[in-house]
Amino acid sequence: IDYRLDASRDLSFDTEGRFNTATQTNAQLGLGGATTRTLTQVSTYGATGGGNNKFGDLTLGLHGTVDRTQYDGGNLSSDDYNAYGLKLRAGYRWTEAVQPFAEVGGDVRVYDTTFDASGYDRASDGVAGRAGLKLSFSEMLNGEASVGYGVRAYRDPRLPDAGAPLFDGSLIWSVTPLTTVTARASTLLNDAIVSGASADINRAYTINVDHALTERVKLGLSAGLLTDTYVGRSQTDRTYSLGATAEYHLSREVVLKATATHQQLV
């Protein structure tokens, strides 16, 4: 749920509320073991609030975040945590087609219990910075790309601190007025729940093709690769996915959507 308030021509405030819940297998969580019989309900929810102010061609934004991750089922309740973050972003409108930006942010992760089931204190602090370009070549081609670096320091000396290059990008190509191709790449520095591992360096690559058959019917195909590299252990998981979507627009305000996805973890 998003809301934006334009206080003036140059000043705006925005908020966001989010919630997601899904079942994951031991393999998806990096724990190994049964891939279908053991399921854990993973819920994430949080909020973002802040504002943006324009100074001519320069835009400055400051946002705070509060997020919670919760595991229901299995033996992972000691891995529930809250994350509190702050992010500062500066963007400059060089031209209508090219807009460079830079951002820096930090967060603190606090767990419900001091020690998890394996006896580790997983509380941590993180800092990340990145710089990039927002591109808008035409109505047919636009996107955004950034590179940076992120680090996390853990309270427990047995857990190694983590650091990794960050790459995020998206490209939207309108091949025709009816067909759109979207490619995305992202990097996240997540906390691991695997014994002996501190962080999960999560990299995701996806491509989507959407085509409007009629004004009301839209079909889509997607493919993706997700990698999880666990810091502190010689373990890397890869997940391949294929998906299909169908949308039916009842009106401009109401859309019915169905999605089917197949995932293969290796």
Side-chain angles (χ1 to χ4, degrees), residues 159-170:
L159 295 175
D161 294 342
L166 307 176
F167 176 74
D168 293 86
S170 64

Side-chain angles (χ1 to χ4, degrees), residues 6-18:
D6 294 322
S8 67
R9 186 180 65 178
D10 297 324
L11 178 63
S12 64
F13 298 96
D14 56 272
T15 60
E16 177 188 88
R18 51 191 173 270

Side-chain angles (χ1 to χ4, degrees), residues 12-27:
S12 64
F13 298 96
D14 56 272
T15 60
E16 177 188 88
R18 51 191 173 270
F19 172 75
N20 182 71
T21 185
T23 54
Q24 294 191 22
T25 65
N26 275 357

Side-chain angles (χ1 to χ4, degrees), residues 39-263:
L39 295 175
T40 299
Q41 194 80 16
V42 184
S43 301
T44 58
Y45 45 94
T48 297
N52 296 282
N53 196 50
K54 294 181 180 179
F55 303 90
D57 291 328
L58 176 67
T59 301
L60 295 179
L62 181 65
H63 291 82
T65 59
V66 178
D67 289 280
R68 178 168 176 80
T69 299
Q70 186 171 311
Y71 300 90
D72 298 313
N75 189 30
L76 298 174
S77 59
S78 60
D79 290 284
D80 297 348
Y81 70 89
N82 298 319
Y84 309 94
L86 193 65
K87 182 182 293 184
L88 174 65
R89 176 172 172 137
Y92 185 78
R93 188 178 61 181
W94 189 7
T95 67
E96 290 298 329
V98 180
Q99 300 178 34
F101 66 88
E103 65 180 36
V104 61
D107 71 290
V108 177
R109 294 177 184 174
V110 181
Y111 283 74
D112 291 1
T113 59
T114 304
F115 299 102
D116 66 6
S118 300
Y120 291 97
D121 182 357
R122 294 192 172 275
S124 64
D125 304 313
V127 178
R130 69 183 76 211
L133 293 173
K134 186 176 181 181
L135 307 172
S136 181
F137 298 111
S138 67
E139 293 184 357
M140 295 179 58
L141 187 64
N142 60 81
E144 181 175 306
S146 67
V147 294
Y149 199 82
V151 296
R152 295 210 68 82
Y154 290 84
R155 184 178 301 171
D156 196 319
R158 296 171 296 171
L159 295 175
D161 294 342
L166 307 176
F167 176 74
D168 293 86
S170 64
L171 182 66
I172 302 174
W173 177 30
S174 298
V175 183
T176 70
L178 301 179
T179 305
T180 302
V181 178
T182 305
R184 287 190 172 90
S186 65
T187 308
L188 294 174
L189 225 60
N190 296 324
D191 281 348
I193 60 175
V194 180
S195 178
S198 57
D200 169 14
I201 302 174
N202 176 281
R203 302 186 187 277
Y205 312 90
T206 60
I207 185 168
N208 298 74
V209 179
D210 297 300
H211 180 73
L213 290 179
T214 68
E215 291 184 355
R216 293 183 177 271
V217 179
K218 183 178 179 181
L219 301 178
L221 295 174
S222 64
L225 168 63
L226 181 72
T227 66
D228 295 285
T229 302
Y230 297 94
V231 178
R233 292 189 57 170
S234 57
Q235 178 180 342
T236 298
D237 295 337
R238 293 177 177 85
T239 303
Y240 300 91
S241 64
L242 293 173
T245 60
E247 295 182 5
Y248 184 76
H249 294 244
L250 295 174
S251 66
R252 290 185 177 182
E253 295 79 17
V254 181
V255 179
L256 299 179
K257 183 176 181 179
T259 302
T261 303
H262 174 75
Q263 294 181 327

